[in-house]
Amino acid sequence: MTGRYVVLGPEEVALLPSSPLRDPSLPSSRPSSPPKRRDNSHTQSVIPSIPEFFSLSPTKAMAGIWLLLGTSLFLLLGSGRVASHRYDTNGGLEAAAERRAENLHRLDTIILLTYITVLIVIVLTAWLFKHYRFRFIHETGVTLIYGLFIGIVLRYFNIGLLESQTFDVVTKNDTTVNEPPDYLRLGVNGDTGKTVTFTYELIEGFFADADKMKHNERKIEQKSAFSPELFFNILLPPIIFNAGYSLKKRSFFRNIGSILLFVFLGTTISCIATAVLMFIFTRIFGMGFAFQELLFFGALISATDPITVLAVLNEKNVEANLYALIFGESAMNDAVAIVLSATIDSYTMTGDTVDLLGILSAGVNFVEVFVGSLLLGSVIGCANAILTKFTYISDHPLLESALFILISYCSFLIAEIVHLTGIVAVLFCGICQAHYTFNNLSVEAQTTTKRFFQLVSFLSEAFIFCYIGISVFVGNNQKWNILFIICALISITLARAIYVYPLCELINIQRRPPIPKNYQHMILFSGLRGAMAFALADRNTATENRQVILAATVAIVLFTVFFNGGLASWMIDYLGIKHGVHANEEERTITSSTQQEVADYTTTSSHSGVTISSTPGHNPWDKAFLPRKWYNFDANFMKPLLTHATPPLTETLPSICYPLAKMLTSDRQLHSHQPLRMRFDSESGSCTMSNSLEQMLS
């Protein structure tokens, strides 16, 4: 049957002008010398230059950005109508196929240009917000607003209408189909009377369309929506890798015990608590969800993404421990959430009932997948460290940076191929490369790789949040249930409180300094949801309940970004959290106390036999037994093996291993190594360590 569908038309995009349009007859608004007063004031320029325009006020600057976006959409409306008129039906099968390919290519180009234009506006908005230091809204929230605006235009304005043919497909011999197909074949009569078979590949994911007539005329999502695999394979890996690669190691490892408890135990408790609370709500209101489905929802919605809160914390320069706790949890619980959701999803697909044996089996599978992914990512990161240590590729920074980026991405792909989790692998690959490989890179490669992943991560996050806003109006794989959304908001808040406060009390039994109550409140408030939760929910919307879950996830992302993100700065002041100068003074006090007692750290020199006593709990690595043991092992074996750190393995390994240690020691280590020397100050009565050891401890 013949119909019309709406695709993303070229009305959406405009070329960004390289310079402002202005009348050449008007004088410059910034003359080299002060202008003289004239009587004919009407000839004076009243149009400010672009720098003056953006420096006048935030309101005018924002108006300029919106003017740019509006101009882009206006120009695209005209180009879209031109495209619509060019779609005719003359010329036979070959000509029709050629016209279809040309129009599809044009529309694909327009779609990309649309998103690029929106990203340009997002970058300008981010600059504007950083320049004027907006308090109650972050650029992430404005990105969502841009996406919502574009979605409204696509949904409610007739743009890019093209004549099309739509057919209801039935199987041959009325064969029953239980799974969505990968390909569809359709025979078309050619000009010579022969039947030409066209094969259509389903590459945009799949969804259950219960109301077929509702979407028969408006198929916007066919062109403006993207496959969920695009998020997992292209956009998410650099975001997760950058989280590990940009890790502030000192603050992170000071709080590693607390972070791991939040990540593993906290995320699991949040998943189960959310599922139980939602199960109660759905039973009360008769919404008809299975417990396995709600457990899957609890797993995906437990992935936090407090990018807005972290930006505010960094801008206000809060105390480092609070930042490390929030950042560390968000960086690592994505990995736990994706393994949990994959485990629950695979268990749900088997159709088994929930019993003790099934729960234990799922728990074992979770541990296997997580540990396997962790080890794979770590091994690839360490292998790259070995490669950069024993080669002279640092003489060519371009090749060095390219090799670093490609090997890092391989950790994600290999993990996915062997049925592990690429997100976990790429996260720990980033952590290992930041700890080891980064030290082997040239200065140029260090700068290039840092900037590259920061840039790609920023653009990927901006694209995802913009797409989330667009999907509210153009996606037909979302089924909105307001009651489910309200219950979900209540459940995730209670579930986060259920694990934050008890775990903090448990941690404070041994932690020094303890986590104060205002920090606990801020950790609870920082539970924003973002890209990972959306990508997990969008990956499979084959059933109506999955579509409800996706819509609820989008609503939660919007609410938490606007509400929690917008009030983050106010909440810091309301809770009395120290920031700025006060936080720096407190941090300097802790640091000076730490540095004073680092000299008491237990260090045994392999060639001098000097031992310095220590007091447990007073240096940044002596917080607990396991971190202390790991630090000793890392400083004596891992860093000398994987980097050019000193002392080399020839001194840290037993003498019987000297041939092997010599082979694993680089020339740079041998030339730069200075033996450990201890100097005793008779006046102060203290021992001073050599520079090499001080560098190793730092």
Side-chain angles (χ1 to χ4, degrees):
M1 60 181 179
T2 302
R4 301 168 70 198
Y5 67 88
V6 179
V7 296
L8 178 60
E11 298 88 348
E12 295 294 323
V13 185
L15 293 176
L16 182 65
S18 59
S19 61
L21 297 176
R22 48 183 294 124
D23 190 346
S25 64
L26 293 174
S28 173
S29 60
R30 300 184 64 181
S32 57
S33 61
K36 298 180 181 180
R37 183 180 299 273
R38 299 180 183 178
D39 294 335
N40 53 344
S41 57
H42 63 278
T43 61
Q44 296 291 327
S45 173
V46 294
I47 303 177
S49 65
I50 282 188
E52 290 176 340
F53 179 81
F54 280 99
S55 64
L56 289 177
S57 68
T59 304
K60 288 189 176 181
M62 200 67 199
I65 293 177
W66 277 95
L67 179 62
L68 172 64
L69 184 61
T71 304
S72 302
L73 294 175
F74 176 77
L75 294 177
L76 287 170
L77 285 170
S79 59
R81 289 188 173 85
V82 172
S84 301
H85 295 158
R86 292 181 61 187
Y87 205 118
D88 55 68
T89 57
N90 298 323
L93 178 61
E94 183 176 353
E98 181 65 26
R99 285 192 300 270
R100 181 179 183 276
E102 179 184 352
N103 279 275
L104 289 178
H105 171 72
R106 179 182 176 85
L107 290 176
D108 289 337
T109 306
I110 290 171
I111 291 166
L112 293 177
L113 186 56
T114 300
Y115 281 104
I116 294 299
T117 304
V118 176
L119 288 177
I120 291 173
V121 175
I122 290 171
V123 171
L124 291 175
T125 305
W127 165 82
L128 178 68
F129 277 43
K130 293 181 183 300
H131 182 71
Y132 288 105
R133 301 180 182 275
F134 281 88
R135 178 183 176 91
F136 291 106
I137 190 169
H138 187 258
E139 55 260 27
T140 303
V142 181
T143 301
L144 286 172
I145 294 176
Y146 290 151
L148 291 170
F149 177 70
I150 297 296
I152 291 173
V153 173
L154 296 178
R155 180 67 179 86
Y156 296 105
F157 292 87
N158 293 327
I159 58 175
L161 287 172
L162 299 177
E163 295 293 336
S164 66
Q165 288 183 315
T166 302
F167 295 94
D168 290 328
V169 179
V170 294
T171 57
K172 190 175 182 179
N173 299 326
D174 295 330
T175 305
T176 302
V177 179
N178 297 320
E179 296 181 356
D182 298 317
Y183 299 91
L184 292 176
R185 288 196 299 268
L186 179 65
V188 179
N189 291 329
D191 300 334
T192 60
K194 295 182 179 179
T195 300
V196 180
T197 301
F198 287 84
T199 301
Y200 297 85
E201 181 181 5
L202 305 181
I203 60 175
E204 298 294 345
F206 58 91
F207 50 86
D209 191 1
D211 191 357
K212 181 172 60 178
M213 295 304 298
K214 177 181 178 182
H215 299 290
N216 188 43
E217 298 292 333
R218 302 184 62 85
K219 291 290 185 181
I220 301 175
E221 72 285 342
Q222 290 185 359
K223 282 298 177 184
S224 61
F226 290 89
S227 169
E229 295 305 311
L230 172 69
F231 295 102
F232 272 93
N233 295 331
I234 304 297
L235 298 178
L236 284 181
I239 296 175
I240 301 301
F241 182 87
N242 185 65
Y245 193 49
S246 62
L247 201 66
K248 296 181 179 179
K249 294 181 291 183
R250 180 177 295 275
S251 299
F252 179 83
F253 287 107
R254 282 181 182 176
N255 299 275
I256 186 64
S258 305
I259 291 173
L260 291 179
L261 201 61
F262 280 133
V263 167
F264 290 99
L265 189 56
T267 305
T268 304
I269 293 175
S270 175
C271 170
I272 297 174
T274 301
V276 171
L277 291 171
M278 287 300 299
F279 185 76
I280 295 173
F281 282 127
T282 54
R283 285 296 176 270
I284 293 175
F285 297 106
M287 286 186 273
F289 278 80
F291 184 74
Q292 289 93 330
E293 292 175 317
L294 297 174
L295 202 60
F296 173 77
F297 174 68
L300 71 89
I301 209 65
S302 297
T304 60
D305 187 13
I307 178 175
T308 304
V309 175
L310 289 173
V312 174
L313 294 177
N314 187 53
E315 181 181 347
K316 295 180 77 70
N317 195 16
V318 300
E319 200 269 323
N321 285 335
L322 175 61
Y323 187 92
L325 288 172
I326 297 175
F327 175 80
E329 181 197 9
S330 66
M332 298 186 66
N333 75 349
D334 284 350
V336 176
I338 194 173
V339 177
L340 269 177
S341 62
T343 303
I344 295 169
D345 205 20
S346 61
Y347 182 74
T348 302
M349 289 187 296
T350 61
D352 297 335
T353 58
V354 178
D355 53 14
L356 181 60
L357 183 61
I359 294 175
L360 292 177
S361 175
V364 171
N365 182 55
F366 168 80
V367 173
E368 290 178 350
V369 172
F370 191 91
V371 174
S373 304
L374 184 154
L375 292 177
L376 176 63
S378 302
V379 167
I380 292 177
C382 294
N384 195 21
I386 289 285
L387 182 62
T388 54
K389 175 183 176 180
F390 290 102
T391 61
Y392 293 98
I393 196 172
S394 59
D395 295 337
H396 306 279
L398 177 62
L399 301 179
E400 186 183 21
S401 302
L403 180 68
F404 181 92
I405 294 170
L406 294 175
I407 291 180
S408 302
Y409 188 55
C410 281
S411 64
F412 173 84
L413 298 177
I414 294 175
E416 292 293 324
I417 289 174
V418 298
H419 301 289
L420 295 175
T421 302
I423 296 297
V424 180
V426 78
L427 172 65
F428 284 94
C429 179
I431 293 175
C432 288
Q433 301 228 64
H435 195 56
Y436 300 118
T437 312
F438 183 81
N439 299 310
N440 299 335
L441 300 178
S442 62
V443 176
E444 294 86 348
Q446 289 179 345
T447 304
T448 300
T449 54
K450 280 285 186 182
R451 296 301 183 191
F452 173 82
F453 283 107
Q454 288 174 357
L455 173 63
V456 176
S457 177
F458 169 77
L459 292 177
S460 299
E461 289 250 27
F463 180 88
I464 291 176
F465 278 102
C466 179
Y467 180 76
I468 291 174
I470 293 176
S471 68
V472 173
F473 295 97
V474 304
N476 65 351
N477 58 347
Q478 299 177 15
K479 186 176 180 62
W480 292 85
N481 188 324
I482 303 301
L483 184 59
F484 186 90
I485 293 171
I486 295 174
C487 294
L489 286 170
I490 297 173
S491 299
I492 63 173
T493 304
L494 293 177
R496 188 164 177 84
I498 286 172
Y499 83 83
V500 167
Y501 294 113
L503 287 185
C504 286
E505 294 300 324
L506 179 64
I507 291 170
N508 286 341
I509 296 176
Q510 293 292 333
R511 178 185 170 96
R512 295 297 179 270
I515 303 175
K517 280 294 182 182
N518 56 350
Y519 282 20
Q520 298 178 30
H521 299 328
M522 194 64 204
I523 293 173
L524 173 64
F525 188 78
S526 301
L528 286 75
R529 271 59 174 185
M532 179 60 71
F534 173 79
L536 288 172
D538 189 53
R539 201 168 193 180
N540 181 1
T541 55
T543 65
E544 183 175 325
N545 285 348
R546 287 296 183 95
Q547 296 176 27
V548 173
I549 288 175
L550 174 58
T553 303
V554 172
I556 291 171
V557 171
L558 294 173
F559 179 83
T560 55
V561 168
F562 287 127
F563 182 79
N564 298 60
L567 295 179
S569 181
W570 174 84
M571 185 62 68
I572 292 173
D573 295 331
Y574 176 78
L575 295 176
I577 296 174
K578 294 182 179 180
H579 57 85
V581 178
H582 300 289
N584 290 336
E585 290 177 353
E586 183 174 350
E587 180 68 16
R588 281 194 296 267
T589 302
I590 297 174
T591 303
S592 62
S593 176
T594 300
Q595 291 176 347
Q596 183 178 356
E597 299 189 17
V598 162
D600 295 333
Y601 186 73
T602 303
T603 306
T604 303
S605 174
S606 61
H607 62 275
S608 63
V610 178
T611 302
I612 311 172
S613 63
S614 70
T615 304
H618 292 287
N619 65 72
W621 312 280
D622 199 16
K623 292 293 183 183
F625 176 78
L626 288 179
R628 184 171 68 250
K629 292 299 182 183
W630 164 251
Y631 168 74
N632 289 333
F633 176 77
D634 182 56
N636 290 325
F637 300 104
M638 294 300 293
K639 280 191 174 180
L641 171 64
L642 301 176
T643 69
H644 301 289
T646 55
L649 291 174
T650 53
E651 295 190 7
T652 58
L653 288 178
S655 57
I656 192 174
C657 302
Y658 183 82
L660 177 63
K662 183 67 168 58
M663 183 176 62
L664 297 176
T665 301
S666 65
D667 296 337
R668 177 177 166 184
Q669 285 176 291
L670 293 176
H671 294 149
S672 63
H673 173 55
Q674 297 178 356
L676 177 66
R677 296 183 178 90
M678 303 301 301
R679 182 174 60 85
F680 180 78
D681 191 342
S682 59
E683 295 182 359
S684 62
S686 62
C687 290
T688 304
M689 291 176 289
S690 67
N691 292 333
S692 60
L693 181 59
E694 290 174 354
Q695 181 182 5
M696 180 182 69
L697 291 178
S698 63

